Amino acid sequence: MILLCDSVSCWILDQERIRDHLLLSLGLRGLCETSADGMFTVLPAACLGACDRAPVMMVDDKLYCNLTCEKIDEILGTFRKP
């Protein structure tokens, strides 16, 4: 489960670009979908409480902060390793 913060702080700091990159990387057309391999479901979250480190997302119970497209790729890579 991936919760992607869509609060004002994250939105101001380019959350839309992060969202689009995340969805593209997972082969999804939009939020609230599950990847074809069944590994990831991406849901919007009103706030994850880390506005000072925005943009942020939570994968399972781990918070990832100061996201960039490159960080998204690294994070997803750690879950896709055999």
Side-chain angles (χ1 to χ4, degrees):
M1 185 70 57
I2 299 175
L3 299 176
L4 183 63
C5 187
D6 64 359
S7 71
V8 170
S9 297
C10 288
W11 182 76
I12 288 171
L13 293 168
D14 220 7
Q15 182 268 0
E16 290 177 322
R17 185 173 60 87
I18 297 298
R19 179 201 62 212
D20 293 346
H21 182 78
L22 176 62
L23 295 176
L24 181 66
S25 296
L26 296 173
L28 303 177
R29 293 172 296 176
L31 295 170
C32 303
E33 291 186 6
T34 300
S35 59
D37 60 10
M39 286 185 66
F40 302 100
T41 300
V42 180
L43 298 174
C47 183
L48 293 175
C51 297
D52 60 325
R53 296 173 282 158
V56 300
M57 72 178 183
M58 184 174 278
V59 181
D60 294 330
D61 61 350
K62 185 170 180 183
L63 186 66
Y64 295 92
C65 304
N66 301 308
L67 294 174
T68 63
C69 293
E70 294 77 18
K71 282 187 180 179
I72 294 285
D73 294 340
E74 290 173 21
I75 293 163
L76 294 178
T78 64
F79 288 94
R80 290 183 168 152
K81 289 184 180 178

